[in-house]
Amino acid sequence: MSGLLYKNLRINFSSCLLILIVALVCCAIACVAPILGGPEFMTENDGAMMLAVLYYFVFMMPSLTSNLLFESDESRTASAFAMSLPQCGKGHIESKYWYILIQYLAVLFITFITDTIIYGILDGTFSALILLIMIFCFRIFISSIEIPFVIRFGSQKGMAVKGLTFAFIFFLVMIYFMFGDISWLINSDEPLKAFMKWLQRGNILFPLSLFPFFSIALFWLSCKISVNVFRKGAENYEQ
C-alpha cells in the first residue's frame, strides 16, 4: 500500500504542491486579516464570513485536483497493470481513497492550527472549529458519492455526478429556507455567527454529531463499491 501511495504522490506531486501552497496562502491571509482589521474585524468587515469562505476554498482544493488522480490511470494498460499487482485492483482503488483522505486530513490539520492562532488573536471571541469539522465531513461525503461514478464511468462523467449532487443539496437547502424556521438568520446582523449558534442548538446538535460518523462510514462503503466496479469500468477505457 505504501508503494501505491508513493506512486499517487509522485504522479500528482504538482497537484499536492498546489494544494499545500494555496492552503498556506489562504491560512496566512486568514491570520493576517484580523490583525489588519482591528477590533471591528468580526463585525464591520464581515470577518467571520471571510474566514469561512477562505476555509471552504482550502477544502475545495483536493476535490478540484482529484480528477487528475484518476485521469492518469484511465487506460486499459494502466488498469491491467493495476490488476497485475500483488494487491490487485483492490489495493489500487484503496490507495486512491487513502490518498484523498490524507489530503483532506492534512488540510484539516492546517486549518485547525490556523483557527487556533486566530482564536488567540481575537482574544477567544471566535472559533470556527465546528465549521471546519462540518466542512471536512461534507467534502468526504461528496467524494464518497463521486468516486464510484468516476471509477465506473470515467472522470468526466464523475464531474457531472458531482454537479448533480451539489444541485440536489442546493435544492434541499432552498426548500429549508422556504419552509423551515430561519428566524435565527433573519433577526441577526452577523449571519455566520448566527449559523454557528444554530449548529449548537439541541435539536440540531444531535444529528450533526452523527454526521462525521455517517460520512466516514459512507467513505468506507464507497471504497468497497469502487473496488467492485473497477474491473467493469476498466473495460470501457481506451488503450
Side-chain angles (χ1 to χ4, degrees):
M1 182 62 68
S2 59
L4 291 172
L5 285 173
Y6 179 73
K7 176 184 78 75
N8 292 328
L9 175 62
R10 289 295 301 171
I11 293 176
N12 300 277
F13 180 76
S14 58
S15 298
C16 286
L17 190 60
L18 176 62
I19 293 171
L20 179 61
I21 292 174
V22 171
L24 292 177
V25 169
C26 288
C27 290
I29 293 172
C31 290
V32 172
I35 299 175
L36 299 179
E40 295 80 20
F41 174 75
M42 299 304 294
T43 55
E44 294 181 1
N45 297 327
D46 296 324
M49 185 62 68
M50 171 189 167
L51 294 177
V53 171
L54 283 173
Y55 286 144
Y56 190 80
F57 180 72
V58 172
F59 273 100
M60 277 187 63
M61 289 305 299
S63 176
L64 293 176
T65 59
S66 63
N67 281 345
L68 300 176
L69 177 66
F70 296 98
E71 283 181 358
S72 60
D73 293 320
E74 288 183 354
S75 69
R76 291 189 180 181
T77 302
S79 299
F81 174 75
M83 287 184 281
S84 69
L85 296 172
Q87 302 92 336
C88 300
K90 181 175 181 291
H92 172 72
I93 297 300
E94 288 180 351
S95 71
K96 303 288 187 184
Y97 275 82
W98 276 112
Y99 181 79
I100 291 173
L101 181 60
I102 289 171
Q103 283 186 321
Y104 280 123
L105 288 173
V107 170
L108 182 63
F109 176 76
I110 294 173
T111 52
F112 268 177
I113 297 298
T114 304
D115 184 63
T116 302
I117 295 172
I118 294 174
Y119 185 79
I121 294 173
L122 297 175
D123 297 324
T125 58
F126 177 80
S127 174
L129 181 62
I130 296 178
L131 181 64
L132 292 176
I133 295 174
M134 288 298 107
I135 295 176
F136 170 79
C137 295
F138 178 71
R139 298 310 313 182
I140 290 293
F141 173 79
I142 294 297
S143 294
S144 301
I145 297 175
E146 173 194 7
I147 296 176
F149 288 94
V150 172
I151 298 296
R152 177 61 180 85
F153 300 106
S155 56
Q156 295 303 316
K157 291 185 179 179
M159 291 181 64
V161 171
K162 182 191 295 185
L164 290 174
T165 303
F166 272 108
F168 178 70
I169 293 173
F170 179 76
F171 177 71
L172 293 179
V173 171
M174 291 304 299
I175 289 179
Y176 175 80
F177 272 82
M178 290 174 63
F179 302 104
D181 178 18
I182 57 172
S183 57
W184 54 271
L185 180 62
I186 296 176
N187 300 325
S188 174
D189 295 328
E190 300 181 46
L192 184 60
K193 284 190 175 181
F195 177 70
M196 298 291 289
K197 291 181 179 179
W198 178 77
L199 290 178
Q200 300 177 45
R201 288 169 54 180
N203 57 338
I204 300 297
L205 188 59
F206 178 70
L208 281 181
S209 66
L210 298 179
F211 184 57
F213 300 99
F214 173 76
S215 60
I216 294 298
L218 184 62
F219 195 72
W220 173 83
L221 179 62
S222 173
C223 181
K224 298 299 181 183
I225 294 173
S226 295
V227 169
N228 290 330
V229 302
F230 171 60
R231 185 180 295 272
K232 189 68 175 177
E235 295 175 358
N236 298 327
Y237 295 150
E238 298 178 357
Q239 296 290 346

